[in-house]
Amino acid sequence: MSYALSEGLQAAIYARLTADAELGSLVGASIYDAVPDAAPDLFVALGQENARAAGDASGQVTTHDLKVSVVTRTAGYVTAKRVAARLSDLLSNADLALPRGRVISLRFRLARARRDEGEVTRRIDLWFRARLDDPAA
């Protein structure tokens, strides 16, 4: 097992999201790894990740469960759901190029929509599972 592919995976996901014109028409350039203090009313945030060994005799495979969130301060979920749907379309089975290793699969796992009364936001957290092979490990 190796965690060495995690940075490349995050960079590839970020590049895929920021290069998409349709997603850009919905959120502009508001796709963050570190959300700024003065975040806009609608944005996408790359979130937490859990990685675990999944290798066998055929290779050094690591499974990465990663979260991408849509956060909004506007009323209702309609726009946030439109953004979440686009994220799902962009990342499910995406053919991402990594600087090291390769993506075996990238699949949608689950989503959770909720209100955060303390922050006065609505958010949709989408979880994806990436299986990565690191022949250099």
Side-chain angles (χ1 to χ4, degrees):
M1 180 220 162
S2 174
Y3 191 65
L5 304 183
S6 181
E7 181 183 355
L9 176 63
Q10 180 174 330
I13 288 171
Y14 182 81
R16 178 137 176 107
L17 299 181
T18 57
D20 185 68
E22 185 177 336
L23 183 60
S25 73
L26 295 167
V27 299
S30 300
I31 301 170
Y32 304 112
D33 174 28
V35 178
D37 290 335
D41 286 342
L42 175 65
F43 63 90
V44 172
L46 302 181
Q48 66 190 76
E49 171 190 33
N50 300 308
R52 67 180 175 279
D56 55 26
S58 65
Q60 296 295 320
V61 176
T62 307
T63 299
H64 295 252
D65 290 328
L66 50 109
K67 181 172 75 170
V68 180
S69 299
V70 180
V71 181
T72 185
R73 290 185 184 87
T74 59
Y77 280 99
V78 172
T79 302
K81 286 184 177 187
R82 191 173 301 129
V83 173
R86 186 65 189 149
L87 290 172
S88 182
D89 288 346
L90 284 169
L91 296 179
S92 295
N93 299 312
D95 184 19
L96 302 176
L98 303 180
R100 172 177 158 183
R102 69 182 180 95
V103 176
I104 298 168
S105 67
L106 179 57
R107 301 196 192 291
F108 171 77
R109 289 198 55 234
L110 64 97
R112 180 177 175 222
R114 63 185 171 92
R115 289 180 63 168
D116 185 334
E117 299 295 336
E119 293 182 12
V120 193
T121 60
R122 288 168 169 44
R123 71 182 298 131
I124 301 172
D125 296 324
L126 298 103
W127 283 91
F128 296 87
R129 175 166 288 160
R131 290 182 48 86
L132 309 179
D133 181 36
D134 186 7

